[in-house]
Amino acid sequence: MTLASNELVFLNFYAEWCRFSNLLAPIFNEAADKVREAFPDAGKVVLGKVDCDKETAIASRFHITKYPTLKIVRNGQLSKREYRGQRSADAFLEFVKKQLEDPIKEFHSLKDLETLDSKKRIIIGYFDRRDQPEYDTFRKVASNLKDECQFHVGFGEAAQAMHPPGHPIIVFRPDVALTHENDETYNGSLKNFDELKIWIQEKCVPLVREITFENAEELTEEGLPFLILFHHPDDTNSIKDYKAIIEQQLMDEKQNVNFLTADGKRFAHPLHHLGKSEEDLPIIAIDSFRHMYLFPNFKDMYQPGKLKQFLQDLYNGKLHREFHYGPDPVTNEIQVDVNSNTSPPESTFKKLGPSKNRYTLLTKDEL
C-alpha cells in the first residue's frame, strides 16, 4: 500500500548487525525529517526502511545482496538504478528533490528539436494539450525512465505539424552521433502504462552502453563479463560500427555479457594494464572480473564471426590456456607447462565494484 500510494518511495534495506547500516541509520532518519518538511503533501514522497533479517521475503523480492542498499520505487515501479551517492542528510534531500523534478522538457517550436544533443537517446511526445489522459501516461513513464533517456514534449501549435488532431504521437530519436539506428514511432496504446514503459525502456537502454566512473559500480555489480571497446573521445565511427556489429551478430549473447564502450583517455589505467596506450586506440578487450584479454586486431571485428569466436574462446577457456601455453595444438592434446608463472592481466574493473569499505557484502560472489 505504501509503494502504490506514493509517487516516490526511497527505501533503506539494512541489517542491525551491519556496521555500515548502523552508521547510516541516524543520517537516514534526519533526511526523512528534512524531506517531510520540504514535501509535506501526502502521497508525494516517503522514506522507508526495511530490516532484512526480519523481513526476509521483502529482502528477497528486492534482490538485496549487500547492506545497506538504497532503492527507489516510483509510481509503484522499482527503479533498476540504486542510490550510490554521498550518504548525508543534505545529499539525500537533494536526491529526492531531483527525483521529483518534472522529467519532461517542453518545446515551443519544432526548430527547438534541431538543437538536441545528438549523443543522447531521446523520446519526443507530440500532444494536443496537457490534460490528455495519454499525456498523463507519458509523464508517468518519463518519471520512471528519466535516468535512461531525455524526454521532450510539445503541445498544440508547437506539435500540430507532426500529428493529426486528437492523435498524439511518441517518437524515439537515437543518439545519431554514436549509432546507425533510425527514428522510430510508437505504435502501441498511449493509455497503457506497462506497454508504453516496455517500449520506451527497450529504446532507452541500449544493447551497448557506455561505462563511466559514475556507473562502473552498478555495471560491475551485474556480474557479467565486459566486452569493451576502448576508443578515442573523438572517434564516433568506431563506436557506430562496434554497436552495429554487436546488434547484427551478438544479440543472443546479451544475457551472458555486458557490451560496453569506454573513453580510452579516461580509462587509461586498464589500457596500461593491457600493455596499450592512447596511441593504440581503438582496441577491444574482455574483462572477466578475474583477468583481461585483448582482442588481437581491432580490424578483425569487421570479419563476420570473429567477435563471437572471441567470446566463445572465453567461455571454453581457450583465451586463458593460450595466454599461458601459446596457441592450442591442432590435436586434442594440450601440452601443459606446469612451471609457467605467466598470467593474463588481472581485472581492473573488478576494483570498481561495490567496496567492502562501504557495504557489508553478502555471501553471493557477484564478481
Side-chain angles (χ1 to χ4, degrees):
M1 188 181 76
T2 299
L3 300 182
S5 59
N6 287 278
E7 182 177 340
L8 183 76
V9 182
F10 190 15
L11 292 169
N12 171 16
F13 294 88
Y14 72 96
E16 288 190 352
W17 51 264
C18 165
R19 180 169 70 91
F20 300 110
S21 295
N22 291 329
L23 290 171
L24 179 62
I27 299 170
F28 201 73
N29 289 341
E30 182 186 352
D33 293 336
K34 287 177 178 280
V35 168
R36 185 188 298 113
E37 187 177 334
F39 301 98
D41 295 342
K44 194 70 175 174
V45 56
V46 162
L47 269 65
K49 56 186 179 179
V50 179
D51 183 336
C52 294
D53 283 342
K54 293 180 180 176
E55 305 291 348
T56 54
I58 298 177
S60 176
R61 174 186 165 193
F62 283 88
H63 307 291
I64 304 305
T65 59
K66 61 187 184 304
Y67 300 134
T69 292
L70 300 167
K71 293 192 177 236
I72 289 289
V73 178
R74 289 197 197 97
N75 300 308
Q77 300 267 326
L78 176 66
S79 173
K80 181 182 177 185
R81 189 161 294 174
E82 297 176 11
Y83 176 87
R84 299 175 187 267
Q86 183 184 351
R87 295 177 181 179
S88 72
D90 288 337
F92 290 146
L93 176 61
E94 287 306 308
F95 175 73
V96 167
K97 285 180 178 177
K98 194 162 185 63
Q99 295 304 307
L100 292 172
E101 287 177 359
D102 189 341
I104 306 174
K105 294 182 180 178
E106 184 177 352
F107 63 86
H108 301 282
S109 163
L110 293 181
K111 280 198 168 183
D112 295 345
L113 300 179
E114 296 174 6
T115 60
L116 299 183
D117 190 342
S118 63
K119 292 186 176 182
K120 299 292 184 184
R121 300 171 83 82
I122 296 167
I123 302 291
I124 305 171
Y126 303 92
F127 294 87
D128 293 308
R129 59 191 187 279
R130 195 177 289 271
D131 62 355
Q132 282 180 278
E134 293 90 343
Y135 177 68
D136 188 54
T137 305
F138 181 65
R139 184 188 61 79
K140 286 180 178 176
V141 172
S143 70
N144 278 41
L145 297 175
K146 61 192 288 186
D147 294 332
E148 313 296 350
C149 253
Q150 288 188 355
F151 288 83
H152 296 265
V153 69
F155 299 102
E157 291 184 6
Q160 65 185 7
M162 298 301 295
H163 71 103
H167 296 278
I169 286 178
I170 293 173
V171 175
F172 164 67
R173 179 184 291 184
D175 43 351
V176 291
L178 303 174
T179 182
H180 294 301
E181 293 178 64
N182 298 312
D183 289 12
E184 192 172 330
T185 301
Y186 174 64
N187 294 317
S189 168
L190 292 175
K191 294 181 181 179
N192 187 316
F193 174 88
D194 290 329
E195 188 178 346
L196 180 60
K197 179 174 180 280
I198 289 169
W199 184 82
I200 290 180
Q201 188 160 355
E202 285 178 351
K203 300 303 170 190
C204 290
V205 182
L207 180 63
V208 181
R209 293 176 282 180
E210 180 187 8
I211 188 168
T212 65
F213 287 113
E214 290 73 29
N215 69 4
E217 181 181 304
E218 173 187 341
L219 289 171
T220 301
E221 195 174 11
E222 291 180 13
L224 298 176
F226 291 169
L227 180 70
I228 312 177
L229 166 70
F230 293 94
H231 61 87
H232 191 277
D234 301 326
D235 178 12
T236 56
N237 288 330
S238 292
I239 298 173
K240 286 184 177 183
D241 292 348
Y242 174 74
K243 288 183 174 182
I245 288 168
I246 285 174
E247 287 165 5
Q248 293 162 10
Q249 300 179 24
L250 297 176
M251 282 291 290
D252 58 344
E253 294 288 350
K254 65 180 181 180
Q255 305 300 325
N256 306 318
V257 180
N258 263 326
F259 300 111
L260 304 172
T261 64
D263 182 329
K265 273 194 169 182
R266 293 192 72 195
F267 285 95
H269 179 62
L271 287 184
H272 179 71
H273 219 53
L274 289 163
K276 300 292 182 180
S277 66
E278 187 181 329
E279 287 71 35
D280 298 304
L281 298 173
I283 68 168
I284 295 172
I286 285 174
D287 191 313
S288 71
F289 295 130
R290 299 190 188 283
H291 299 290
M292 297 184 74
Y293 302 98
L294 187 65
F295 187 60
N297 187 338
F298 171 77
K299 291 182 179 178
D300 285 349
M301 173 182 80
Y302 296 97
Q303 293 187 32
K306 280 284 190 177
L307 268 186
K308 191 173 185 70
Q309 188 59 54
F310 187 46
L311 286 177
Q312 293 303 318
D313 290 346
L314 171 72
Y315 304 150
N316 63 30
K318 183 178 179 183
L319 292 181
H320 198 80
R321 287 197 308 274
E322 292 196 338
F323 192 96
H324 281 293
Y325 314 119
D328 278 356
V330 177
T331 66
N332 291 329
E333 296 178 7
I334 298 173
Q335 301 299 318
V336 177
D337 177 4
V338 295
N339 295 318
S340 174
N341 292 319
T342 60
S343 186
E346 288 187 3
S347 166
T348 56
F349 287 93
K350 180 177 180 178
K351 297 168 186 172
L352 298 178
S355 168
K356 292 180 180 178
N357 296 319
R358 186 174 168 85
Y359 300 106
T360 298
L361 301 176
L362 303 185
T363 52
K364 177 190 172 194
D365 182 15
E366 56 216 35
L367 302 182

